[in-house]
Amino acid sequence: MDLGIGLPVTGPQTSPEEIVRVAQAAERAGLGAVWTYERLIRPAEPWMLGLEQVIPLPEESASVYDPLETLAYLAAKTSTIRLGTTVIDALFHPPVVLAKRLATLDRLSGGRMWIGLGQGWMKQEFEAAGVPVKRRGAGFAEHVEAMRACWGPDPVRFSGRYYSIPESGVGPKPTGLTLLGGAGAPAALERVAALGMGLTTVVFDWDMLGQTVETYRKAGGQGPLVVQVNGVVGDRSLDERTPLTGSVEQVAEDLARVRALGADHVLWQPIGFDADGLVERIAQLGTS
């Protein structure tokens, strides 16, 4: 198991220089990966799919650097650290377009890409992308299958309910691309496992994380397990800490627990936090 950090791709302090600085610091420190994510818009009236309550997004989410352009830029600025997304909303991109972009990025990075794909959850983003919400589920599975067809031998041909690709040559082909599915609900976890994808999921509490991993494994999931932490390492002032947050000593103990669940990688998302200090503390955990 290795450790990583989310890149500062949003907020008033972000810039190309800041993103590169954090990525290069993470590589020098020996971290396993740096990560970004996709956010198309920040609606004036946020709404989370499947829940009745309105959940406002942080102000920073009004401006988020595109994940693939960001990682292409970093592919030229780093040499060994893995480059990941958790997650890209696959349904907002035509399969042949996203497949070509991911394969190109995989080639440019020397096979260092770990790509987390999700279905999307925000009603307004589906509207902005011109994609019906009802395409979630079966549409996501078909999208992944269509992309894999693009990555297979030429001539490529795909015909499904939602997507079709006429018999064509499609390239480049990836060489080292690792696919992860972003999931938490049981049906989504079973779908990700059935698709033969690894799993990327956010930890909120130990019971939920354990149930998530169990559901994925029971459904046949055998891929890499990436656990995302929305919190900090090194903060001793937390009254009620969540898993993998708190002091370095507390997090080190938690890492043994998440390792026992079979995690391959743990990443901390530093939105609103000091990325420099977090890189140092994560590196300290990696050598402890």
Side-chain angles (χ1 to χ4, degrees), residues 172-197:
K173 310 295 185 182
T175 60
L177 189 63
T178 298
L179 280 187
L180 309 167
L189 290 164
E190 291 168 0
R191 185 177 301 109
V192 166
L195 288 167
M197 304 170 74

Side-chain angles (χ1 to χ4, degrees), residues 79-99:
S79 58
T80 59
I81 197 165
R82 293 196 304 273
L83 308 171
T85 68
T86 178
V87 295
I88 291 174
D89 298 312
L91 296 177
F92 300 160
H93 309 268
V96 69
V97 175
L98 186 56

Side-chain angles (χ1 to χ4, degrees), residues 1-6 33-35 82 85-87 114 116 180-183 189 198-214 216-217 223-231 233 242-245 251 254-270 282 285:
M1 185 178 76
D2 60 13
L3 310 177
I5 185 172
V34 290
W35 299 82
R82 293 196 304 273
T85 68
T86 178
V87 295
W114 279 35
L180 309 167
L189 290 164
L199 175 65
T200 175
T201 193
V202 180
V203 57
F204 296 102
D205 63 65
W206 289 115
D207 287 342
M208 184 181 297
L209 180 61
Q211 291 168 10
T212 294
V213 174
E214 182 181 13
Y216 172 70
R217 297 301 186 197
L225 171 60
V226 174
V227 176
Q228 177 177 324
V229 184
N230 293 336
V233 178
T242 53
L244 297 159
T245 64
V251 175
D254 285 355
L255 283 174
R257 189 168 180 177
V258 76
R259 186 182 292 110
L261 289 173
D264 295 276
H265 183 83
V266 177
L267 74 110
W268 284 263
Q269 182 56 258
I282 295 171
L285 286 166

Side-chain angles (χ1 to χ4, degrees), residues 38-41 49 66 87-95 97-98 101 117-136 139-140 143 163:
E38 183 171 55
R39 173 66 57 237
L40 295 184
I41 58 174
L49 189 68
D66 182 88
V87 295
I88 291 174
D89 298 312
L91 296 177
F92 300 160
H93 309 268
V97 175
L98 186 56
R101 295 183 71 198
L117 301 174
Q119 301 187 81
W121 55 267
M122 193 193 303
K123 173 184 174 183
Q124 292 93 329
E125 284 196 322
F126 279 90
E127 182 180 348
V131 176
V133 172
K134 63 183 180 181
R135 191 166 295 182
R136 298 172 85 248
F140 176 77
H143 190 292
Y163 305 107

